Amino acid sequence: MINSELIKPKVIIIGAGFGGLALINKLKNKPVDVTVFDKNNYHLFQPLLYQVATGGLSPDAIAYPVRKITGKTNNVSFRMAEGKEIVAEENKVRTAEGDYYYDHLVIATGAQTNFFGNEQLEKHCMQLKSINTALDIRSDILEEFEKGVTHNTDEELKHILNFVVVGGGPTGVELAGALAEMKRNVIKADYGKDLDKEKMMVHLIESGSEVLGTFSDSLSKKAMEALGELGVKVWLNTRVETYDGKTLQLNNGNNILTDTVIWAAGVKGKIINGIDATCIGKGGRIKINDYMQVSGYKNIYAVGDVAIMSGDKKYPDGHPMVAPVAQQQAALLAKNILAQLENKPAKGFSYFDKGSMATIGRHRAILEAFGIRLSGILAWLGWMALHLMILVSFRSKLIVFTNWLWNYITYQRHIRLIIRPSDSKTN
Ligand SMILES: Cc1cc2nc3c(=O)[nH]c(=O)nc-3n(C[C@H](O)[C@H](O)[C@H](O)COP(=O)(O)OP(=O)(O)OC[C@H]3O[C@@H](n4cnc5c(N)ncnc54)[C@H](O)[C@@H]3O)c2cc1C
Protein backbone atom coordinates (compact mmCIF):
# COMPACT_ATOMS: atom_id res chain seq x y z
CA MET A 1 0.00 0.00 0.00
CA ILE A 2 1.33 3.44 -0.90
CA ASN A 3 1.03 6.17 1.67
CA SER A 4 0.23 9.21 -0.50
CA GLU A 5 1.63 11.52 2.21
CA LEU A 6 5.06 10.00 1.61
CA ILE A 7 5.03 10.84 -2.09
CA LYS A 8 6.83 14.13 -2.34
CA PRO A 9 6.53 16.38 -5.40
CA LYS A 10 9.53 16.02 -7.73
CA VAL A 11 11.39 19.21 -8.54
CA ILE A 12 14.00 19.18 -11.29
CA ILE A 13 16.46 22.06 -11.56
CA ILE A 14 18.57 22.36 -14.71
CA GLY A 15 21.72 24.31 -13.89
CA ALA A 16 23.70 24.68 -10.65
CA GLY A 17 24.69 28.31 -11.17
CA PHE A 18 23.63 31.19 -8.93
CA GLY A 19 19.92 30.51 -9.48
CA GLY A 20 20.27 26.73 -9.10
CA LEU A 21 22.25 27.03 -5.85
CA ALA A 22 19.75 29.47 -4.32
CA LEU A 23 16.96 26.98 -5.11
CA ILE A 24 18.91 24.13 -3.51
CA ASN A 25 19.48 26.21 -0.39
CA LYS A 26 15.80 27.04 0.00
CA LEU A 27 14.46 23.58 -0.89
CA LYS A 28 16.95 21.44 1.06
CA ASN A 29 15.42 19.33 3.84
CA LYS A 30 11.91 20.42 2.79
CA PRO A 31 9.06 18.06 1.73
CA VAL A 32 10.09 17.94 -1.93
CA ASP A 33 12.31 15.58 -3.90
CA VAL A 34 14.88 17.65 -5.77
CA THR A 35 17.20 16.58 -8.59
CA VAL A 36 19.74 19.08 -9.90
CA PHE A 37 21.43 18.63 -13.25
CA ASP A 38 24.52 20.39 -14.42
CA LYS A 39 26.78 19.60 -17.33
CA ASN A 40 29.72 20.34 -15.02
CA ASN A 41 30.19 18.84 -11.56
CA TYR A 42 30.86 22.27 -10.08
CA HIS A 43 29.27 25.64 -9.44
CA LEU A 44 31.24 28.44 -11.09
CA PHE A 45 31.68 31.89 -9.57
CA GLN A 46 31.82 33.79 -12.87
CA PRO A 47 32.55 37.28 -11.49
CA LEU A 48 36.17 36.29 -10.84
CA LEU A 49 36.73 34.39 -14.09
CA TYR A 50 38.76 37.27 -15.53
CA GLN A 51 41.31 36.72 -12.75
CA VAL A 52 41.73 33.08 -13.82
CA ALA A 53 42.16 34.32 -17.40
CA THR A 54 44.97 36.67 -16.33
CA GLY A 55 46.86 34.34 -13.98
CA GLY A 56 45.72 35.89 -10.67
CA LEU A 57 43.65 32.94 -9.44
CA SER A 58 43.55 29.20 -10.10
CA PRO A 59 40.28 27.60 -11.27
CA ASP A 60 39.65 25.74 -8.01
CA ALA A 61 39.45 29.09 -6.19
CA ILE A 62 36.24 29.94 -8.01
CA ALA A 63 34.68 26.54 -8.76
CA TYR A 64 32.96 24.43 -6.12
CA PRO A 65 31.76 20.80 -6.44
CA VAL A 66 27.95 20.67 -6.38
CA ARG A 67 28.01 17.39 -4.47
CA LYS A 68 29.71 19.17 -1.56
CA ILE A 69 26.37 20.98 -1.20
CA THR A 70 23.85 18.32 -2.14
CA GLY A 71 25.68 15.63 -0.12
CA LYS A 72 24.72 17.40 3.10
CA THR A 73 20.98 17.32 2.35
CA ASN A 74 18.50 14.47 2.65
CA ASN A 75 16.31 15.41 -0.32
CA VAL A 76 18.55 16.93 -3.04
CA SER A 77 20.36 14.71 -5.56
CA PHE A 78 22.89 15.79 -8.14
CA ARG A 79 23.27 14.34 -11.61
CA MET A 80 26.09 15.41 -13.86
CA ALA A 81 24.12 15.52 -17.08
CA GLU A 82 23.24 17.98 -19.79
CA GLY A 83 19.54 18.75 -20.15
CA LYS A 84 18.87 18.09 -23.84
CA GLU A 85 15.14 18.43 -24.34
CA ILE A 86 11.96 19.15 -22.40
CA VAL A 87 8.93 17.04 -23.27
CA ALA A 88 6.31 19.19 -21.53
CA GLU A 89 3.27 17.04 -22.33
CA GLU A 90 4.92 14.12 -20.50
CA ASN A 91 6.52 16.23 -17.70
CA LYS A 92 9.85 14.80 -18.79
CA VAL A 93 13.41 16.05 -19.32
CA ARG A 94 15.68 14.19 -21.69
CA THR A 95 19.35 14.12 -20.75
CA ALA A 96 22.29 12.27 -22.23
CA GLU A 97 22.09 10.03 -19.13
CA GLY A 98 18.39 9.14 -19.49
CA ASP A 99 14.92 10.58 -18.99
CA TYR A 100 13.75 12.19 -15.75
CA TYR A 101 10.16 13.03 -14.71
CA TYR A 102 9.09 16.11 -12.76
CA ASP A 103 6.15 17.80 -11.08
CA HIS A 104 7.94 21.15 -11.21
CA LEU A 105 10.76 21.99 -13.63
CA VAL A 106 13.10 24.96 -13.20
CA ILE A 107 15.31 26.06 -16.07
CA ALA A 108 18.37 27.84 -14.63
CA THR A 109 20.80 27.35 -17.50
CA GLY A 110 22.23 30.88 -17.59
CA ALA A 111 23.59 32.60 -20.66
CA GLN A 112 26.06 32.07 -23.47
CA THR A 113 28.19 34.46 -25.51
CA ASN A 114 26.29 36.28 -28.26
CA PHE A 115 28.19 37.00 -31.47
CA PHE A 116 24.99 38.34 -33.05
CA GLY A 117 25.20 35.85 -35.91
CA ASN A 118 28.68 36.89 -37.09
CA GLU A 119 30.37 33.56 -37.85
CA GLN A 120 33.79 35.12 -38.44
CA LEU A 121 33.78 36.67 -34.98
CA GLU A 122 32.57 33.45 -33.40
CA LYS A 123 35.33 31.49 -35.14
CA HIS A 124 38.26 33.77 -34.29
CA CYS A 125 37.43 35.61 -31.04
CA MET A 126 38.02 34.20 -27.58
CA GLN A 127 35.27 34.38 -24.96
CA LEU A 128 35.16 34.44 -21.17
CA LYS A 129 32.31 32.24 -20.00
CA SER A 130 33.72 29.08 -18.45
CA ILE A 131 36.82 27.67 -16.77
CA ASN A 132 37.90 26.22 -20.12
CA THR A 133 37.62 29.53 -21.97
CA ALA A 134 39.38 31.38 -19.13
CA LEU A 135 42.29 28.91 -19.20
CA ASP A 136 42.42 29.22 -22.97
CA ILE A 137 42.72 33.00 -22.68
CA ARG A 138 45.44 32.65 -20.04
CA SER A 139 47.46 30.26 -22.20
CA ASP A 140 46.95 32.46 -25.23
CA ILE A 141 48.16 35.64 -23.51
CA LEU A 142 51.25 33.87 -22.13
CA GLU A 143 52.00 32.24 -25.48
CA GLU A 144 51.85 35.65 -27.12
CA PHE A 145 54.39 36.98 -24.60
CA GLU A 146 56.69 34.06 -25.41
CA LYS A 147 56.20 34.62 -29.16
CA GLY A 148 57.02 38.29 -28.62
CA VAL A 149 60.47 37.25 -27.42
CA THR A 150 61.30 35.22 -30.52
CA HIS A 151 59.50 37.21 -33.24
CA ASN A 152 60.63 40.77 -33.34
CA THR A 153 59.82 42.61 -36.55
CA ASP A 154 57.54 45.60 -35.94
CA GLU A 155 54.73 44.00 -37.94
CA GLU A 156 55.00 40.71 -36.04
CA LEU A 157 55.07 42.45 -32.68
CA LYS A 158 51.92 44.41 -33.49
CA HIS A 159 50.01 41.18 -34.13
CA ILE A 160 51.47 39.55 -31.03
CA LEU A 161 51.30 42.38 -28.51
CA ASN A 162 48.03 44.09 -29.45
CA PHE A 163 45.39 42.67 -27.11
CA VAL A 164 41.82 43.66 -27.89
CA VAL A 165 38.81 43.38 -25.59
CA VAL A 166 35.43 44.08 -27.18
CA GLY A 167 32.65 45.37 -24.91
CA GLY A 168 32.91 48.13 -22.30
CA GLY A 169 30.64 46.51 -19.69
CA PRO A 170 32.00 45.24 -16.34
CA THR A 171 33.55 42.08 -17.84
CA GLY A 172 35.37 43.97 -20.62
CA VAL A 173 36.57 46.76 -18.32
CA GLU A 174 37.82 44.37 -15.62
CA LEU A 175 39.62 42.22 -18.17
CA ALA A 176 41.23 45.19 -19.92
CA GLY A 177 42.38 46.54 -16.53
CA ALA A 178 43.90 43.19 -15.58
CA LEU A 179 45.72 42.93 -18.94
CA ALA A 180 47.13 46.41 -18.45
CA GLU A 181 48.38 45.38 -15.00
CA MET A 182 50.14 42.41 -16.64
CA LYS A 183 51.89 44.81 -18.99
CA ARG A 184 53.02 46.99 -16.08
CA ASN A 185 54.16 44.27 -13.74
CA VAL A 186 54.56 40.84 -15.34
CA ILE A 187 56.31 41.91 -18.54
CA LYS A 188 58.49 44.39 -16.70
CA ALA A 189 59.61 41.88 -14.06
CA ASP A 190 59.93 38.63 -15.99
CA TYR A 191 60.36 39.55 -19.66
CA GLY A 192 62.29 42.81 -19.12
CA LYS A 193 65.48 41.68 -20.91
CA ASP A 194 63.64 40.18 -23.87
CA LEU A 195 60.53 42.24 -24.49
CA ASP A 196 59.90 45.98 -24.56
CA LYS A 197 56.75 46.39 -22.46
CA GLU A 198 55.87 49.61 -24.27
CA LYS A 199 55.17 47.54 -27.38
CA MET A 200 52.21 45.86 -25.67
CA MET A 201 48.88 47.65 -26.21
CA VAL A 202 45.53 46.89 -24.63
CA HIS A 203 42.55 48.12 -26.65
CA LEU A 204 38.99 48.27 -25.33
CA ILE A 205 36.25 48.71 -27.91
CA GLU A 206 32.81 49.98 -26.95
CA SER A 207 29.94 50.78 -29.29
CA GLY A 208 28.32 53.26 -26.86
CA SER A 209 29.48 56.70 -25.85
CA GLU A 210 30.89 55.57 -22.48
CA VAL A 211 32.20 52.48 -20.69
CA LEU A 212 30.16 50.94 -17.86
CA GLY A 213 27.05 52.59 -19.27
CA THR A 214 24.78 51.18 -16.55
CA PHE A 215 26.60 53.27 -13.90
CA SER A 216 26.06 56.99 -13.35
CA ASP A 217 27.90 59.36 -15.72
CA SER A 218 30.33 60.49 -13.03
CA LEU A 219 31.41 56.90 -12.26
CA SER A 220 31.70 56.01 -15.96
CA LYS A 221 34.05 58.96 -16.29
CA LYS A 222 36.07 57.75 -13.29
CA ALA A 223 36.36 54.36 -14.96
CA MET A 224 37.58 56.03 -18.18
CA GLU A 225 40.19 57.94 -16.17
CA ALA A 226 41.37 54.75 -14.45
CA LEU A 227 41.67 52.95 -17.80
CA GLY A 228 43.60 55.93 -19.19
CA GLU A 229 46.02 55.87 -16.22
CA LEU A 230 46.63 52.19 -16.90
CA GLY A 231 47.40 52.94 -20.55
CA VAL A 232 44.35 51.18 -22.04
CA LYS A 233 43.30 52.65 -25.39
CA VAL A 234 39.52 52.97 -25.26
CA TRP A 235 37.64 53.25 -28.55
CA LEU A 236 34.18 54.72 -27.82
CA ASN A 237 31.32 54.86 -30.36
CA THR A 238 33.13 52.14 -32.28
CA ARG A 239 31.80 48.84 -33.57
CA VAL A 240 33.68 45.77 -34.71
CA GLU A 241 32.91 44.88 -38.32
CA THR A 242 34.85 41.66 -38.67
CA TYR A 243 37.97 39.75 -37.67
CA ASP A 244 39.87 37.10 -39.63
CA GLY A 245 42.18 36.01 -36.80
CA LYS A 246 44.82 38.56 -37.86
CA THR A 247 43.19 41.93 -38.53
CA LEU A 248 40.26 43.44 -36.66
CA GLN A 249 38.21 45.82 -38.80
CA LEU A 250 36.36 48.64 -37.10
CA ASN A 251 33.43 50.61 -38.48
CA ASN A 252 35.41 53.87 -38.28
CA GLY A 253 37.77 52.66 -41.01
CA ASN A 254 40.59 51.71 -38.59
CA ASN A 255 42.14 48.25 -38.50
CA ILE A 256 43.99 46.71 -35.56
CA LEU A 257 46.59 44.04 -36.26
CA THR A 258 46.13 41.49 -33.51
CA ASP A 259 46.28 37.79 -32.74
CA THR A 260 44.08 38.14 -29.65
CA VAL A 261 40.53 39.44 -29.53
CA ILE A 262 38.37 38.68 -26.50
CA TRP A 263 34.64 39.15 -27.11
CA ALA A 264 32.75 40.49 -24.08
CA ALA A 265 30.13 42.39 -26.01
CA GLY A 266 26.98 40.40 -25.46
CA VAL A 267 25.23 37.37 -24.08
CA LYS A 268 22.01 35.53 -24.87
CA GLY A 269 19.92 32.97 -23.00
CA LYS A 270 21.07 29.35 -23.03
CA ILE A 271 17.80 27.68 -23.89
CA ILE A 272 16.90 24.00 -24.12
CA ASN A 273 14.97 22.31 -26.92
CA GLY A 274 11.28 21.69 -26.35
CA ILE A 275 10.27 25.13 -25.13
CA ASP A 276 7.80 26.64 -27.61
CA ALA A 277 9.43 29.22 -29.91
CA THR A 278 6.76 31.78 -28.98
CA CYS A 279 8.16 31.73 -25.41
CA ILE A 280 11.55 33.06 -26.50
CA GLY A 281 11.89 36.81 -26.07
CA LYS A 282 14.50 39.52 -26.42
CA GLY A 283 18.12 38.37 -26.12
CA GLY A 284 17.10 34.74 -26.70
CA ARG A 285 15.76 34.60 -23.14
CA ILE A 286 12.71 32.61 -22.05
CA LYS A 287 9.68 34.82 -21.32
CA ILE A 288 8.40 34.41 -17.76
CA ASN A 289 5.60 35.99 -15.76
CA ASP A 290 5.94 37.57 -12.30
CA TYR A 291 5.83 34.09 -10.73
CA MET A 292 8.77 32.89 -12.87
CA GLN A 293 6.40 30.63 -14.85
CA VAL A 294 7.33 30.17 -18.50
CA SER A 295 4.54 31.66 -20.65
CA GLY A 296 2.00 28.97 -21.47
CA TYR A 297 3.29 26.36 -18.97
CA LYS A 298 1.95 25.88 -15.44
CA ASN A 299 4.75 23.82 -13.92
CA ILE A 300 7.79 24.98 -15.93
CA TYR A 301 9.71 27.94 -14.56
CA ALA A 302 12.87 29.81 -15.54
CA VAL A 303 15.13 32.00 -13.40
CA GLY A 304 18.25 34.11 -13.86
CA ASP A 305 20.08 34.97 -17.07
CA VAL A 306 18.06 32.56 -19.20
CA ALA A 307 14.77 34.25 -18.25
CA ILE A 308 13.22 37.58 -19.19
CA MET A 309 10.42 39.10 -17.15
CA SER A 310 8.80 42.21 -18.56
CA GLY A 311 6.16 42.66 -15.83
CA ASP A 312 8.44 44.66 -13.49
CA LYS A 313 7.68 48.31 -14.41
CA LYS A 314 11.18 49.44 -13.41
CA TYR A 315 12.71 46.91 -15.83
CA PRO A 316 10.41 46.76 -18.89
CA ASP A 317 13.23 45.21 -21.00
CA GLY A 318 13.96 42.58 -18.39
CA HIS A 319 16.21 42.58 -15.35
CA PRO A 320 19.97 42.94 -15.63
CA MET A 321 21.80 39.66 -16.21
CA VAL A 322 23.55 39.59 -12.82
CA ALA A 323 23.86 37.07 -10.02
CA PRO A 324 21.52 38.79 -7.49
CA VAL A 325 18.59 38.66 -9.94
CA ALA A 326 19.07 34.90 -10.39
CA GLN A 327 19.39 34.39 -6.63
CA GLN A 328 16.35 36.48 -5.70
CA GLN A 329 14.12 34.93 -8.38
CA ALA A 330 15.21 31.44 -7.31
CA ALA A 331 14.64 32.11 -3.62
CA LEU A 332 11.12 33.39 -4.25
CA LEU A 333 10.32 30.54 -6.62
CA ALA A 334 11.37 28.02 -3.96
CA LYS A 335 9.05 29.72 -1.46
CA ASN A 336 6.21 29.69 -4.00
CA ILE A 337 6.67 25.97 -4.72
CA LEU A 338 6.57 25.23 -0.98
CA ALA A 339 3.55 27.54 -0.50
CA GLN A 340 1.70 25.61 -3.21
CA LEU A 341 2.04 22.43 -1.11
CA GLU A 342 0.08 24.18 1.63
CA ASN A 343 -2.43 25.69 -0.82
CA LYS A 344 -1.09 29.15 -0.07
CA PRO A 345 -0.95 31.81 -2.80
CA ALA A 346 2.26 32.52 -4.73
CA LYS A 347 3.96 35.92 -4.51
CA GLY A 348 5.05 38.00 -7.51
CA PHE A 349 8.70 38.97 -8.02
CA SER A 350 10.12 42.40 -7.47
CA TYR A 351 13.88 42.97 -7.77
CA PHE A 352 15.74 44.51 -4.85
CA ASP A 353 18.80 46.17 -6.37
CA LYS A 354 21.64 46.22 -3.84
CA GLY A 355 23.92 48.14 -6.19
CA SER A 356 26.74 47.47 -8.66
CA MET A 357 30.49 47.59 -8.69
CA ALA A 358 33.43 47.03 -11.01
CA THR A 359 37.18 47.00 -10.50
CA ILE A 360 39.81 48.41 -12.85
CA GLY A 361 43.21 47.06 -11.82
CA ARG A 362 45.00 47.66 -8.54
CA HIS A 363 43.45 50.20 -6.15
CA ARG A 364 40.80 51.29 -8.63
CA ALA A 365 37.11 50.45 -8.58
CA ILE A 366 33.71 52.08 -8.77
CA LEU A 367 30.73 51.29 -6.57
CA GLU A 368 27.14 52.52 -6.67
CA ALA A 369 24.61 51.43 -4.04
CA PHE A 370 21.57 53.04 -2.42
CA GLY A 371 22.43 56.46 -3.87
CA ILE A 372 26.05 56.26 -2.66
CA ARG A 373 28.75 56.62 -5.33
CA LEU A 374 32.32 55.67 -4.53
CA SER A 375 35.49 55.37 -6.57
CA GLY A 376 39.17 54.70 -5.87
CA ILE A 377 40.68 52.69 -3.05
CA LEU A 378 37.59 52.61 -0.80
CA ALA A 379 35.48 51.20 -3.61
CA TRP A 380 38.27 48.72 -4.37
CA LEU A 381 38.34 47.51 -0.76
CA GLY A 382 34.52 47.28 -0.82
CA TRP A 383 34.70 45.26 -4.04
CA MET A 384 37.17 42.79 -2.51
CA ALA A 385 35.23 42.46 0.76
CA LEU A 386 31.96 41.78 -1.05
CA HIS A 387 33.45 39.16 -3.36
CA LEU A 388 35.08 37.38 -0.42
CA MET A 389 31.74 37.38 1.39
CA ILE A 390 29.73 35.90 -1.47
CA LEU A 391 32.16 33.17 -2.56
CA VAL A 392 30.52 29.83 -1.90
CA SER A 393 32.91 28.07 0.51
CA PHE A 394 35.34 28.99 3.28
CA ARG A 395 38.12 27.24 1.32
CA SER A 396 37.46 29.44 -1.75
CA LYS A 397 37.43 32.56 0.41
CA LEU A 398 40.76 31.57 1.97
CA ILE A 399 42.44 30.73 -1.37
CA VAL A 400 41.19 33.91 -3.02
CA PHE A 401 42.20 36.08 -0.05
CA THR A 402 45.73 34.63 0.20
CA ASN A 403 46.23 34.89 -3.57
CA TRP A 404 45.08 38.51 -3.56
CA LEU A 405 47.38 39.32 -0.66
CA TRP A 406 50.35 37.64 -2.34
CA ASN A 407 49.63 39.30 -5.69
CA TYR A 408 49.27 42.64 -3.92
CA ILE A 409 52.58 42.36 -2.08
CA THR A 410 54.53 41.03 -5.06
CA TYR A 411 52.75 43.01 -7.84
CA GLN A 412 52.63 39.68 -9.68
CA ARG A 413 50.21 37.20 -11.18
CA HIS A 414 51.74 33.88 -10.30
CA ILE A 415 49.56 31.27 -11.96
CA ARG A 416 51.16 31.67 -15.32
CA LEU A 417 51.12 28.15 -16.71
CA ILE A 418 50.48 27.58 -20.38
CA ILE A 419 48.23 24.53 -20.47
CA ARG A 420 46.58 23.37 -23.65
CA PRO A 421 44.34 20.29 -23.82
CA SER A 422 46.35 17.20 -24.54
CA ASP A 423 45.24 14.95 -27.40
CA SER A 424 46.36 11.83 -25.62
CA LYS A 425 45.23 10.50 -22.24
CA THR A 426 48.72 9.10 -21.65
CA ASN A 427 50.50 12.44 -22.08
C1 LIG B 1 32.94 36.93 -16.94
C2 LIG B 1 31.69 37.23 -16.18
C3 LIG B 1 31.72 38.15 -15.13
C4 LIG B 1 30.55 38.44 -14.41
N1 LIG B 1 30.61 39.33 -13.37
C5 LIG B 1 29.51 39.55 -12.60
C6 LIG B 1 29.57 40.38 -11.46
O1 LIG B 1 30.61 40.97 -11.15
N2 LIG B 1 28.44 40.52 -10.71
C7 LIG B 1 27.27 39.89 -11.04
O2 LIG B 1 26.28 40.02 -10.31
N3 LIG B 1 27.18 39.11 -12.13
C8 LIG B 1 28.27 38.91 -12.91
N4 LIG B 1 28.20 38.10 -14.01
C9 LIG B 1 26.89 37.55 -14.39
C10 LIG B 1 26.53 36.39 -13.48
O3 LIG B 1 27.56 35.44 -13.48
C11 LIG B 1 25.23 35.80 -14.00
O4 LIG B 1 24.23 36.78 -13.99
C12 LIG B 1 24.80 34.63 -13.13
O5 LIG B 1 25.76 33.60 -13.20
C13 LIG B 1 23.44 34.11 -13.57
O6 LIG B 1 23.09 33.00 -12.80
P1 LIG B 1 22.26 31.81 -13.45
O7 LIG B 1 21.95 30.87 -12.35
O8 LIG B 1 21.15 32.35 -14.26
O9 LIG B 1 23.27 31.15 -14.49
P2 LIG B 1 24.73 30.57 -14.28
O10 LIG B 1 25.32 31.00 -13.00
O11 LIG B 1 25.46 30.87 -15.53
O12 LIG B 1 24.49 29.01 -14.17
C14 LIG B 1 24.01 28.23 -15.24
C15 LIG B 1 24.40 26.79 -14.97
O13 LIG B 1 23.68 25.97 -15.87
C16 LIG B 1 24.54 24.97 -16.38
N5 LIG B 1 23.97 24.57 -17.67
C17 LIG B 1 23.77 25.31 -18.77
N6 LIG B 1 23.13 24.61 -19.72
C18 LIG B 1 22.90 23.38 -19.18
C19 LIG B 1 22.24 22.21 -19.66
N7 LIG B 1 21.68 22.16 -20.87
N8 LIG B 1 22.20 21.14 -18.85
C20 LIG B 1 22.76 21.15 -17.60
N9 LIG B 1 23.37 22.25 -17.11
C21 LIG B 1 23.43 23.35 -17.88
C22 LIG B 1 25.89 25.64 -16.46
O14 LIG B 1 26.95 24.69 -16.46
C23 LIG B 1 25.87 26.51 -15.21
O15 LIG B 1 26.42 25.84 -14.09
C24 LIG B 1 29.34 37.80 -14.76
C25 LIG B 1 29.31 36.89 -15.82
C26 LIG B 1 30.47 36.60 -16.52
C27 LIG B 1 30.43 35.61 -17.65
Side-chain angles (χ1 to χ4, degrees):
M1 195 178 85
I2 297 169
N3 181 345
S4 62
E5 283 198 354
L6 292 180
I7 301 174
K8 296 178 187 167
K10 283 190 170 45
V11 180
I12 286 186
I13 303 166
I14 311 179
F18 284 95
L21 277 205
L23 273 150
I24 296 173
N25 278 330
K26 295 284 173 193
L27 293 177
K28 69 182 176 199
N29 306 328
K30 297 283 190 237
V32 280
D33 235 336
V34 182
T35 307
V36 186
F37 296 119
D38 203 292
K39 57 191 167 71
N40 299 314
N41 72 337
Y42 53 83
H43 164 81
L44 177 61
F45 189 83
Q46 294 175 59
L48 292 178
L49 257 184
Y50 79 97
Q51 298 208 2
V52 173
T54 50
L57 289 173
S58 55
D60 67 320
I62 64 162
Y64 191 70
V66 183
R67 281 189 184 275
K68 296 282 283 174
I69 301 162
T70 57
K72 292 186 189 122
T73 71
N74 57 29
N75 67 327
V76 186
S77 310
F78 174 69
R79 296 287 176 270
M80 188 173 129
E82 181 161 0
K84 295 272 187 204
E85 190 187 358
I86 296 164
V87 188
E89 54 282 8
E90 294 177 42
N91 288 340
K92 180 169 89 178
V93 180
R94 288 212 163 108
T95 78
E97 313 307 322
D99 294 350
Y100 290 79
Y101 291 85
Y102 59 83
D103 296 303
H104 303 274
L105 171 66
V106 188
I107 305 167
T109 44
Q112 58 189 326
T113 308
N114 192 354
F115 292 95
F116 303 100
N118 189 324
E119 285 172 16
Q120 280 279 91
L121 293 178
E122 187 161 356
K123 183 168 172 202
H124 297 292
C125 292
M126 310 196 82
Q127 47 178 304
L128 185 63
K129 201 69 191 85
S130 61
I131 292 283
N132 289 344
T133 57
L135 290 177
D136 234 16
I137 292 175
R138 184 180 83 186
S139 294
D140 190 82
I141 295 167
L142 298 169
E143 275 177 359
E144 294 301 316
F145 290 173
E146 295 300 333
K147 267 198 251 166
V149 172
T150 49
H151 297 66
N152 46 25
T153 69
D154 275 354
E155 169 99 0
E156 281 171 341
L157 279 179
K158 274 191 185 138
H159 280 287
I160 292 167
L161 293 179
N162 271 332
F163 292 87
V164 181
V165 179
V166 187
T171 301
V173 167
E174 292 184 333
L175 192 55
L179 279 165
E181 292 281 3
M182 287 183 93
K183 169 182 172 174
R184 280 190 158 192
N185 302 317
V186 173
I187 294 203
K188 192 176 158 202
D190 289 4
Y191 291 80
K193 290 196 295 292
D194 301 319
L195 200 56
D196 175 4
K197 86 174 170 60
E198 295 313 321
K199 296 245 163 79
M200 174 175 171
M201 271 303 295
V202 181
H203 301 260
L204 177 64
I205 299 177
E206 164 57 39
S207 61
S209 57
E210 55 188 5
V211 295
L212 300 178
T214 53
F215 288 78
S216 63
D217 281 354
S218 61
L219 287 183
S220 293
K221 284 201 183 91
K222 290 273 183 205
M224 274 299 281
E225 280 168 29
L227 288 165
E229 283 165 24
L230 283 170
V232 176
K233 176 157 177 46
V234 183
W235 301 71
L236 294 177
N237 300 306
T238 306
R239 299 185 85 85
V240 167
E241 295 272 302
T242 189
Y243 177 52
D244 61 3
K246 282 282 164 200
T247 306
L248 185 77
Q249 287 179 23
L250 306 177
N251 69 339
N252 58 13
N254 284 295
N255 290 340
I256 301 176
L257 305 182
T258 176
D259 287 351
T260 312
V261 178
I262 304 167
W263 187 259
V267 283
K268 59 182 178 185
K270 191 159 188 327
I271 52 173
I272 293 189
N273 288 342
I275 290 291
D276 198 284
T278 57
C279 299
I280 310 302
K282 215 175 156 189
R285 297 164 81 187
I286 300 172
K287 291 193 254 178
I288 54 171
N289 66 15
D290 292 1
Y291 305 96
M292 279 70 74
Q293 275 167 319
V294 177
S295 315
Y297 300 92
K298 262 191 135 171
N299 60 344
I300 304 183
Y301 313 83
V303 296
D305 283 3
V306 73
I308 185 161
M309 180 190 287
S310 50
D312 192 334
K313 283 198 186 101
K314 248 180 107 185
Y315 302 92
D317 289 329
H319 297 99
M321 291 162 93
V322 291
V325 170
Q327 289 169 320
Q328 290 177 31
Q329 287 181 340
L332 179 66
L333 175 58
K335 274 191 191 164
N336 284 347
I337 289 174
L338 295 174
Q340 207 176 316
L341 301 181
E342 297 171 16
N343 290 322
K344 288 185 183 158
K347 287 195 180 135
F349 179 72
S350 154
Y351 176 48
F352 178 54
D353 183 1
K354 294 180 195 156
S356 331
M357 47 176 61
T359 180
I360 311 127
R362 195 181 168 92
H363 289 170
R364 300 174 184 85
I366 59 171
L367 182 161
E368 195 164 65
F370 309 114
I372 298 167
R373 287 172 194 161
L374 273 183
S375 61
I377 195 156
L378 264 185
W380 185 66
L381 290 171
W383 179 92
M384 285 196 297
L386 186 96
H387 281 77
L388 284 174
M389 264 158 53
I390 57 180
L391 273 162
V392 172
S393 72
F394 179 71
R395 180 178 177 274
S396 300
K397 292 177 207 277
L398 195 65
I399 301 177
V400 170
F401 178 71
T402 43
N403 272 279
W404 281 351
L405 196 64
W406 191 244
N407 295 346
Y408 184 77
I409 296 167
T410 59
Y411 283 79
Q412 279 299 306
R413 287 171 178 267
H414 293 270
I415 308 156
R416 296 214 313 266
L417 311 180
I418 298 174
I419 301 172
R420 293 293 194 187
S422 148
D423 51 7
S424 154
K425 280 193 173 171
T426 53
N427 276 340

